Amino acid sequence: MSGHVIISHGLNSGPDATKATALAQACDLLGWSCERPDYRDLDATLPPLGDVVGRIERLRNLAAGVNGPVVLAGSSMGAFISAQVSLQLPVRGLFLMAPPISLEGYEMRLQTAAVPLSIVHGWHDELIPADDVAQWAKHHQARICLVNDDHRLGAHVDFCAQQFALFLGSLS
């Protein structure tokens, strides 16, 4: 089985970021179509986190227009909005990198639909404590890989792509 993946970048990033590009290459290799929406216009508004609700709406509208299975993937803020959209539309799975458990100034907390879920997070994440994400993952019985890296997961881009490829393969 293949389908369509929507890869959402983090705040202060873009659709051509290294992790988003690596995940898109994994999609290509496995025969999944993918797209990488650009949220930079929304990120430039409403400091410090940008227009979170606008990001969720944009992703929901994109996902709603897909025929067939949809997988949502994202990093940081992109992970958070992917999780939120999974509650609103049917998705086949979620792949989250460095997901925030909550957002300062917002009532929303990280929640996901009951779908296959895989998380990659850095032990040394300076923005989102690894212990918080590990506890969240334990409570939700999610697959989690904790790596020796910081929030950007810059030393683990290839690892993230490999984990993502394994995740997509598990959905077949």
Side-chain angles (χ1 to χ4, degrees):
M1 178 198 85
S2 62
H4 188 71
V5 178
I6 303 175
I7 303 166
S8 294
H9 66 81
L11 196 62
N12 302 319
S13 188
D16 295 325
T18 55
K19 288 191 303 287
T21 299
L23 267 57
Q25 290 169 343
C27 288
D28 290 344
L29 289 171
L30 295 170
W32 289 66
S33 61
C34 75
E35 63 186 300
R36 295 179 273 171
D38 192 344
Y39 302 103
R40 291 176 292 187
D41 59 320
L42 298 171
D43 293 348
T45 64
L46 304 171
L49 299 177
D51 185 353
V52 177
V53 174
R55 265 180 167 254
I56 292 169
E57 288 175 13
R58 183 171 294 170
L59 178 55
R60 183 183 61 237
N61 290 337
L62 286 171
V66 175
N67 291 322
V70 178
V71 170
L72 300 178
S75 181
S76 193
M77 180 67 76
F80 188 86
I81 66 165
S82 295
Q84 294 302 113
V85 169
S86 80
L87 298 169
Q88 302 172 20
L89 295 170
V91 299
R92 183 71 184 91
L94 288 167
F95 186 82
L96 310 179
M97 297 171 288
I101 301 304
S102 62
L103 299 177
E104 191 171 326
Y106 287 85
E107 295 295 318
M108 295 179 276
R109 292 188 54 77
L110 184 67
Q111 298 178 60
T112 65
V115 298
L117 169 63
S118 186
I119 299 169
V120 178
H121 198 83
W123 277 115
H124 310 290
D125 190 315
E126 65 281 8
L127 301 177
I128 305 157
D131 288 344
D132 293 353
V133 177
Q135 281 297 102
W136 186 93
K138 178 181 179 181
H139 179 75
H140 292 83
Q141 299 178 359
R143 179 178 183 271
I144 184 168
C145 293
L146 292 163
V147 296
N148 186 19
D149 212 338
D150 59 18
H151 183 69
R152 298 186 62 81
L153 296 169
H156 287 83
V157 172
D158 290 340
F159 178 82
C160 288
Q162 291 164 357
Q163 292 302 305
F164 182 58
L166 290 171
F167 179 69
L168 289 180
S170 75
L171 299 177
S172 297

